[in-house]
């Protein structure tokens, strides 16, 4: 209908739906975008009515807005997104305030210009600003400046010097948001508080780790207790008291294997202690790969803080992109390279950051971004449904004699459709009870007791197990159980190989951590046949991973590269960086002082570089091992 309306408007201006936009009069375009004052007449032949059809036309802009606001499914939002792009406001030029507010200046800077500065640059400006004030202004400003400097110093202490005050909170990583909250707490100077932090070192370069540890110690010294869930080596070595949970994961874990000081722990033989004291190591490969001789080259990258750089990615190698926080790694890989490849192979709608050209696309056939976003938004999605193995399991149950006699189809064993599922809980296995002012609580369904299916469906059994029993198995148990079913075993085995043997096949996706979701996605890709020309992109895959998990993950990624694929990883973890075939180190600092490629090559070559901070830490790591 909307296209008929547009065509009817264009006909008034001697144009039609196939006329180039360049050739459409401005008046007609305005009417199409923002609506017509007159009713629009649609020919009766089009609508198959006895007379012409007259409608009010409110314009494409309003139509798209309605789709975005009222369509509950993601498809409408996604469809509307392709017609939208963010652009700078022509009135304030991105400064957000009106002309009158921006006309007030201190030392030639208005409030918007100050908010756009990196925190380091802003701190330097604040140190000098009083020299540019008269005596009265200094008296008014002294206390205010003192407060601003103190708050900025807290942000600088936790390694956020590259951020600007007007940075949108939605664009911050989890680690950055956590460190901003930490800076707020240091500033509040509270005592007798119990602070709990979950992996505050996420996204932090080794250089900034010591700053973070110093900040946490300041909180402790004020008289507070700080509990940190962490895998970082430096954080553990600086702890006053350490609690090690294990011995392994899932049903083989859940015990306190050690508690005491770090000195006492280093003398024990827990897996964590063995990695800390050097008994266990992630081994450096004896030989670095040379790749296949072909490269992907992006020229003229200038998104965000990138300084018009040219970057080469040698194909068939394990490539690590390193550098301090805010140096431009994510801009280069997630916002430039991935959107370019995604657009080329899949007609993606995401626009890449500005660049001049790309060479070498003919040497690869697809790109896979293995990120840490959830594998599903509802408890009904789980590792079995995401990897596709659940379809094979359902088909296996359908072909059992009992199911054949009863005439069951695959839908009978799905908890997403009516028929075989428990209708009391709708296949969820639990009911949600609203607690008004408290968080909602979930209780097992009184009908199916968490099994998700009705009694008739559960009566069909394979080797004595119902479909609900199978979903309740851990991956390790399922690999043994389906040993004689090759299609199912192959898919489950890949989940086991990425170190997730402890999770359950039917574990709700909402209970999986970011690292676990990422490894489920990786397992799904591993179970597919690849051509050896795929580019895999991972952003900080070690988030939430123990040393042993990192070793298992890297073994899997090395196998992908051995098959001829290219794996590109953004990472700060030295245990991963030292395994690279090729490193692209960015910096030297974050924000405006970053965005350049400092050094490239093997870990040994980069360790010899005098530029930036990564070589120094890498040199020590290579020496230690």
């Amino acid at each position: 209908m909307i296209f008929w309306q547009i065509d009817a408007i264009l006909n008034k201006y001697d144009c039609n739906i196939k006329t180039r936009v360049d050739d459409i009069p401005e008046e007609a375009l305005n009417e199409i975008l923002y609506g017509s004052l007159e009713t629009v007449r649609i020919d009766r032949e089009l609508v198959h009515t006895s007379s012409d059809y007259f409608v009010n036309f409110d314009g494409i802009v309003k139509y798209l807005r309605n789709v975005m606001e009222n369509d509950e499914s993601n498809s409408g939002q996604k469809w509307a997104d392709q017609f939208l792009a963010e652009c700078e406001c022509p009135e304030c030029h991105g400064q957000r305030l009106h002309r009158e507010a921006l006309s007030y200046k201190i030392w030639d800077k208005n409030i918007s210009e100050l908010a756009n500065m990196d925190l380091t640059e802003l701190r330097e400006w604040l140190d000098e600003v009083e020299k540019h004030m008269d005596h009265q202004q200094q008296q008014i400003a002294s206390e205010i400046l003192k407060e601003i400097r103190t708050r900025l110093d807290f942000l600088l202490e936790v390694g956020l010097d590259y951020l600007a005050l007007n940075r949108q909170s939605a664009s911050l990583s989890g680690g950055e948001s956590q460190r901003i909250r930490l800076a707020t707490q240091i500033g509040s100077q509270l005592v007798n508080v119990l602070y709990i932090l979950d992996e505050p070192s996420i996204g932090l370069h080794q250089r900034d780790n010591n700053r973070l540890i110093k900040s946490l110690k300041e909180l402790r010294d004020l008289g507070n207790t700080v509990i940190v869930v962490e895998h970082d080596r430096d954080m553990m070595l600086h702890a006053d008291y350490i609690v090690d949970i294990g011995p392994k994961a899932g049903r083989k874990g859940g015990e306190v294997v050690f508690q005491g000081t770090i000195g006492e722990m280093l003398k024990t033989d827990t897996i964590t202690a063995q990695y800390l004291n050097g008994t266990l190591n992630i081994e450096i490969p004896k030989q670095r790969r040379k790749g296949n001789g072909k490269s992907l080259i992006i020229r003229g990258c200038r998104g965000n803080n990138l300084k018009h750089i040219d970057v080469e990615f040698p194909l068939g190698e394990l490539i690590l992109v390193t550098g301090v926080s805010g140096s431009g790694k994510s801009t280069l890989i997630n916002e430039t390279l991935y959107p370019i490849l995604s657009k080329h192979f899949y007609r993606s709608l995401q626009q890449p950051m500005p660049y001049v050209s790309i060479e070498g696309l003919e040497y690869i056939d697809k790109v896979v971004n293995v990120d840490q976003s959830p594998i599903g938004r509802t408890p009904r999605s789980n590792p079995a449904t995401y990897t596709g193995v659940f379809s094979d399991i359902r088909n296996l149950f359908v072909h059992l004699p009992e199911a054949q006699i009863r005439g069951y189809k695959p839908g009978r064993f799905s908890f997403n459709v009516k028929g075989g599922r428990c209708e009391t809980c709708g296949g969820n296995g639990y009911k949600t009870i609203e607690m008004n002012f408290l968080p909602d609580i979930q209780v097992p369904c009184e009908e199916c007791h968490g099994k998700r299916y009705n009694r008739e469906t559960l009566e069909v059994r394979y080797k004595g197990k119902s479909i609900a029993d199978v979903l309740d198995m851990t991956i390790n148990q399922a690999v043994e159980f389906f040993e004689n079913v090759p299609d199912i075993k192959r898919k489950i085995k890949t989940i086991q190989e990425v170190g997730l043997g402890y999770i359950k096949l039917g574990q709700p996706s909402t209970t999986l951590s970011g690292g676990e979701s990422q490894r489920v996605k990786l397992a799904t890709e591993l179970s597919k046949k690849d051509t050896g020309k795929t580019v895999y992109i991972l952003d900080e895959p070690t988030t939430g991973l123990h040393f042993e998990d990192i070793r298992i993950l890297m073994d899997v990624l090395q196998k992908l590269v051995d098959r001829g694929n290219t794996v590109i990883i953004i990472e700060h973890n030295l245990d991963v960086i030292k395994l690279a075939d090729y490193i692209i180190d960015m910096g030297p600092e974050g924000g405006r002082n970053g965005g350049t490629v400092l050094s490239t090559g093997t870990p040994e070559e980069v360790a010899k570089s005098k530029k930036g901070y990564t070589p120094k830490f890498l040199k020590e790591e290579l020496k230690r091992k």
Side-chain angles (χ1 to χ4, degrees):
M1 173 60 83
I2 195 161
F3 284 102
W4 289 341
Q5 291 170 333
I6 293 168
D7 206 22
I9 292 169
L10 287 168
N11 285 336
K12 289 196 304 186
Y13 296 91
D14 297 326
C15 301
N16 60 44
I17 206 91
K18 295 193 184 294
T19 308
R20 284 169 52 90
V21 175
D22 284 356
D23 301 330
I24 296 172
E26 195 174 337
E27 199 179 334
L29 271 180
N30 278 335
E31 208 169 311
I32 290 165
L33 290 173
Y34 304 110
S36 174
L37 294 172
E38 307 162 7
T39 53
V40 175
R41 184 180 64 82
I42 297 172
D43 197 285
R44 58 187 164 197
E45 289 176 14
L46 289 172
V47 286
H48 306 294
T49 55
S50 55
S51 59
D52 290 346
Y53 191 67
F54 291 88
V55 289
N56 291 320
F57 182 65
D58 293 327
I60 291 173
V61 172
K62 190 171 181 181
Y63 176 73
L64 289 174
R65 199 168 280 147
N66 285 338
V67 170
M68 293 183 73
E69 288 172 3
N70 302 321
D71 189 6
E72 290 176 9
S73 69
N74 272 341
S75 57
Q77 177 89 31
K78 218 170 183 180
W79 176 81
D81 269 350
Q82 66 184 305
F83 304 110
L84 305 174
E86 278 189 22
C87 60
E88 194 179 83
C89 169
E91 186 64 32
C92 70
H93 302 290
Q95 294 189 305
R96 304 184 187 205
L97 301 172
H98 57 61
R99 199 178 303 162
E100 290 79 2
L102 294 171
S103 64
Y104 288 93
K105 297 194 176 186
I106 300 172
W107 187 19
D108 297 331
K109 298 279 184 195
N110 63 38
I111 192 167
S112 180
E113 288 168 329
L114 294 183
N116 270 318
M117 288 181 178
D118 293 349
L119 297 185
T120 316
E121 190 183 3
L122 180 57
R123 186 68 181 81
E124 289 164 5
W125 184 89
L126 289 165
D127 283 339
E128 300 292 323
V129 70
E130 282 179 290
K131 296 175 186 174
H132 301 268
M133 294 179 180
D134 59 36
H135 179 67
Q136 187 185 1
Q137 287 173 328
Q138 285 176 3
Q139 280 185 311
I140 296 166
S142 62
E143 283 303 312
I144 300 169
L145 287 170
K146 184 182 162 190
E147 286 296 320
I148 296 172
R149 286 177 190 137
T150 307
R151 282 166 168 75
L152 281 181
D153 286 341
F154 295 139
L155 289 167
L156 295 172
E157 268 178 44
V158 294
L160 296 171
D161 49 317
Y162 56 92
L163 292 182
L165 289 178
N166 72 348
R167 172 82 171 262
Q168 289 185 3
S169 57
S171 69
L172 296 171
S173 69
E176 285 167 342
S177 301
Q178 193 173 26
R179 294 202 296 278
I180 288 170
R181 290 197 294 275
L182 179 61
T184 309
Q185 292 303 321
I186 297 169
S188 67
Q189 299 284 301
L190 294 173
V191 294
N192 296 327
V193 176
L194 174 65
Y195 289 103
I196 298 174
L197 293 93
D198 190 2
E199 302 209 52
S201 67
I202 293 170
L204 213 54
H205 190 272
Q206 221 64 27
R207 177 199 72 164
D208 300 317
N209 239 2
N210 293 333
R211 282 162 150 184
L212 177 63
I213 293 165
K214 181 170 166 276
S215 298
L216 295 177
K217 285 184 173 178
E218 276 179 29
L219 274 181
R220 174 202 66 187
D221 294 341
L222 285 168
N224 301 302
T225 304
V226 183
I227 297 176
V228 186
V229 180
E230 188 57 90
H231 297 285
D232 182 73
R233 183 191 300 271
D234 290 341
M235 194 77 78
M236 288 190 236
L237 294 174
H238 281 88
D240 300 315
Y241 191 84
I242 199 159
V243 179
D244 195 16
I245 308 279
K248 293 196 175 174
R251 65 196 173 106
K252 293 182 180 177
E255 296 174 32
V256 174
V257 292
F258 171 82
Q259 52 185 325
T261 65
I262 187 68
E264 292 166 345
M265 185 185 178
L266 291 173
K267 294 171 188 166
T268 67
D269 63 349
T270 69
I271 295 176
T272 309
Q274 288 182 62
Y275 273 102
L276 288 175
N277 62 29
T279 311
L280 282 178
N281 287 317
I282 295 173
E283 296 295 329
I284 298 172
K286 292 182 175 65
Q287 205 172 349
R288 309 285 181 190
R289 296 181 191 83
K290 297 293 180 196
N292 58 19
K294 300 178 175 73
S295 290
L296 198 61
I297 303 169
I298 312 184
R299 301 196 186 276
C301 300
R302 57 184 189 280
N304 292 336
N305 65 338
L306 298 181
K307 308 285 193 297
H308 215 282
I309 55 173
D310 300 341
V311 187
E312 181 179 0
F313 300 91
L315 299 174
E317 297 187 25
L318 177 63
I319 302 170
L320 264 289
V321 183
T322 62
V324 296
S325 307
S327 58
K329 306 182 297 296
S330 293
T331 302
L332 175 65
I333 304 302
N334 296 336
E335 297 181 55
T336 308
L337 176 65
Y338 176 65
I340 293 171
L341 299 181
S342 191
K343 205 166 187 174
H344 177 76
F345 293 112
Y346 314 121
R347 299 183 187 174
S348 161
L349 303 175
Q350 187 186 351
Q351 288 297 327
M353 285 281 184
Y355 72 102
V356 174
S357 63
I358 184 162
E359 301 164 20
L361 287 173
E362 65 273 19
Y363 304 129
I364 56 175
D365 61 7
K366 68 172 177 172
V367 61
V368 177
N369 187 18
V370 191
D371 61 17
Q372 295 203 357
S373 59
I375 59 171
R377 298 184 186 279
T378 67
R380 286 188 197 157
S381 61
N382 55 50
T385 55
Y386 187 84
T387 54
V389 73
F390 194 41
S391 298
D392 298 322
I393 293 171
R394 292 206 317 264
N395 287 332
L396 174 69
F397 272 81
V398 164
H399 288 99
L400 294 173
E402 183 72 22
Q404 295 275 298
I405 292 164
R406 297 184 182 201
Y408 288 169
K409 298 284 186 287
R412 180 83 200 188
F413 299 97
S414 168
F415 40 76
N416 286 322
V417 294
K418 290 181 179 180
R421 71 182 185 183
C422 167
E423 288 306 326
T424 307
C425 61
N428 282 328
Y430 64 86
K431 283 185 157 184
T432 303
I433 299 174
E434 290 183 16
M435 299 293 286
N436 293 330
F437 300 110
L438 295 170
D440 294 347
I441 61 168
Q442 292 167 346
V443 294
C445 169
E446 72 274 10
E447 182 71 27
C448 67
H449 305 291
K451 291 188 180 290
R452 301 179 168 196
Y453 294 94
N454 57 31
R455 183 178 54 80
E456 291 82 4
T457 307
L458 295 173
E459 284 170 356
V460 179
R461 293 175 175 266
Y462 172 70
K463 288 164 87 174
K465 300 286 185 188
S466 69
I467 187 91
D469 296 331
V470 168
L471 287 171
D472 202 43
M473 288 179 180
T474 65
I475 300 296
N476 289 334
Q477 291 170 319
V479 168
E480 292 172 25
F481 186 75
F482 291 109
E483 197 172 5
N484 300 318
V485 190
D487 282 354
I488 295 175
K489 185 188 171 185
R490 179 174 57 83
K491 288 179 181 174
I492 299 174
K493 186 80 177 162
T494 56
I495 306 177
Q496 187 185 46
E497 284 171 358
V498 295
L500 291 177
Y502 60 90
I503 67 171
K504 291 182 178 179
L505 257 182
Q507 186 167 331
S509 62
T510 49
T511 65
L512 297 174
S513 69
E516 286 167 341
S517 297
Q518 188 173 38
R519 284 181 285 164
V520 169
K521 291 176 186 177
L522 192 58
T524 309
E525 291 303 325
L526 285 168
S527 66
K528 297 174 185 172
K529 290 191 171 88
D530 63 72
T531 56
K533 292 181 175 181
T534 304
V535 172
Y536 294 90
I537 293 173
L538 296 94
D539 189 352
E540 302 211 41
T542 60
T543 301
L545 299 197
H546 184 272
F547 302 109
E548 182 66 8
D549 297 322
I550 293 171
R551 183 188 66 75
I552 294 166
L553 175 70
M554 292 314 295
D555 284 349
V556 171
L557 294 176
Q558 296 283 21
K559 284 176 191 168
L560 277 177
V561 185
D562 288 338
R563 289 179 351 213
N565 302 298
T566 306
V567 175
I568 301 172
I569 307 176
I570 300 172
E571 191 53 85
H572 295 289
N573 190 301
L574 291 167
D575 282 320
V576 175
I577 296 171
K578 70 185 183 191
L579 301 178
D581 300 314
Y582 189 82
I583 292 174
I584 299 167
D585 189 37
M586 300 190 65
E589 300 287 344
R592 69 197 164 100
N593 293 323
T596 57
V597 175
L598 301 176
S599 50
T600 58
T602 63
E604 290 76 16
E605 288 166 350
V606 170
K608 291 174 188 170
S609 171
K610 299 283 186 252
K611 297 175 183 175
Y613 300 94
T614 307
K616 176 188 157 207
F617 292 103
L618 186 55
K619 195 174 189 177
E620 288 170 12
E621 182 69 18
L622 293 172
K623 208 183 287 180
R624 190 164 64 83
K625 298 300 181 190

